Each structure stands twice: as C-alpha cells, then as structure tokens.
Amino acid sequence: MKTVLASRTIEIPEGVEVDIKSRFVSVKGPRGSLTRDFKHIDMDLRKVGKTSIRVDLWFAGRKELACVRTVCSHIDNMMVGVTSGFLYKMRFVYSHFPINVTQAGENVEIRNFLGEKRVRKVKLLDGVSYKRSEDVKDQIEITGNDIANVSLTCAQIQQSTNVRKKDLRKFLDGIYVSEKGAIPAE
C-alpha cells in the first residue's frame, strides 16, 4: 500500500546556513562547510523560511518511506558536523606484542601487530585528523566534520587489524572503537 504524503521537518540551528538546490544540500557553519547530493532519491527538499527544512515524499511504498528519515538524519549529521564536529576514540587491545600506531603524512601506520613485521597503512580521508591521547594509554582520537569520513576511517583502521587464520576467541588483539559522538563543548 502506498502512502499519499510522507513529510518531515528539520530545524536549522543558529549559526548554520543551509542551501538547497535541486536535492543538492550544502551546509555552512563555524567549523566549515559540507555538501551532499541526494539526487538518487526522488523526493522534495525545501527550505521553509530560514529556520527549517521540509522533506516530502509523495505516493511512496515501504522502502521509499524509509528514505525520508534517512535523508533527515544525513542533513542533521551535516549540521552537527559543521557546528561541533565528530570524535571517535579507538583503543588498542593486545595480550603480548604492543601495537605501535603513528601518523606518517596522511597515513596511519600500524606496526608490531601480533609481532608481525608487516606495516599496515590506512589513509586518512578528507577532513579527518588523527591525534594520540595524552591522558589515556593506547588510545587514539579521530576527529572531523563529516561523519561518513570519520567513521569510514575508523572502520578501515579496525579492519586492518583483523586476525586471520587464528582462533578469534583466543586472539582478541586489534584496534577497536571505544567511544563515538559529537565533540563535547568545553
């Protein structure tokens, strides 16, 4: 069964500028600007006044209705990104061989994982920065404005330390996301 009209509104916070032109959304804020293309989804994206965005979808089935909330979440995440940014914390887990992680240019290099000589390299995506935590041992912080790039970089770091050809119940070594969310305000 098709729903005649599915509509949802998003409030624009203060200090954020949103520009919508034929489903191409650009968001500007104090931390920078983000753009995203929603042309693959057939829906109406409109700016209502200066304080809200309305997403309309006409005559949609179940699968298309799910896209309304998804698009709203993406735009919401863009607004959070340009106002406060996103922070992912990752912890090193090892039983014997200490994992050594350093930044070399725009790559993160992982050495001595399970005592292997191979150096694993993960490229930092656009707008993503790497920092080693001073207060906590064996922890790194990945920050950026775009949640997709920050989370994808963390996923690539975690997947580069997958244990192969060993019992996964015994070999729990790796680099795992311990905390994620918006950068807290001071």
Side-chain angles (χ1 to χ4, degrees):
M1 177 153 155
K2 294 199 179 245
T3 306
V4 177
L5 173 64
S7 185
R8 207 174 178 91
T9 57
I10 312 161
E11 294 299 318
I12 301 173
E14 281 185 38
V16 175
E17 232 178 89
V18 179
D19 188 43
I20 300 171
K21 189 167 171 77
S22 63
R23 292 193 302 253
F24 190 80
V25 180
S26 63
V27 179
K28 290 185 187 78
R31 285 181 58 99
S33 65
L34 292 173
T35 58
R36 191 150 186 167
D37 192 4
F38 294 108
K39 287 188 193 271
H40 61 284
I41 302 167
D42 194 23
M43 61 175 53
D44 296 338
L45 276 170
R46 285 213 180 90
K47 199 169 168 185
V48 182
K50 291 184 185 285
T51 59
S52 63
I53 298 168
R54 193 171 77 219
V55 180
D56 292 335
L57 188 58
W58 295 86
F59 299 109
R62 210 173 118 250
K63 299 270 187 181
E64 291 88 23
L65 285 174
C67 294
V68 175
R69 177 83 186 260
T70 303
V71 168
C72 290
S73 296
H74 283 318
I75 295 171
D76 225 17
N77 283 336
M78 288 166 70
M79 289 184 209
V80 172
V82 297
T83 51
S84 59
F86 290 98
L87 167 72
Y88 277 54
K89 292 182 181 177
M90 302 185 83
R91 295 291 300 265
F92 309 159
V93 177
Y94 53 85
S95 58
H96 188 273
F97 295 103
I99 300 171
N100 183 3
V101 179
T102 54
Q103 184 179 4
E106 42 184 58
N107 288 332
V108 173
E109 294 186 346
I110 302 162
R111 299 173 194 275
N112 201 32
F113 176 69
L114 292 176
E116 295 174 5
K117 294 291 181 198
R118 180 175 160 240
V119 178
R120 292 162 165 79
K121 291 181 183 169
V122 176
K123 189 176 186 308
L124 290 174
L125 296 171
D126 294 336
V128 177
S129 64
Y130 161 94
K131 191 180 119 198
R132 191 81 185 241
S133 298
E134 290 95 28
D135 53 340
V136 182
K137 182 179 177 262
D138 295 335
Q139 178 173 290
I140 58 174
E141 295 175 1
I142 309 291
T143 55
N145 291 352
D146 192 356
I147 191 171
N149 284 356
V150 174
S151 60
L152 185 59
T153 301
C154 291
Q156 288 173 343
I157 290 171
Q158 181 172 336
Q159 288 174 352
S160 71
T161 59
N162 275 353
V163 178
R164 293 181 179 88
K165 298 182 183 171
K166 288 185 173 63
D167 188 355
L168 298 180
R169 296 169 296 181
K170 181 71 178 163
F171 290 88
L172 300 170
D173 296 28
I175 303 174
Y176 300 102
V177 174
S178 63
E179 216 179 299
K180 62 185 177 180
I183 297 173
E186 285 86 36

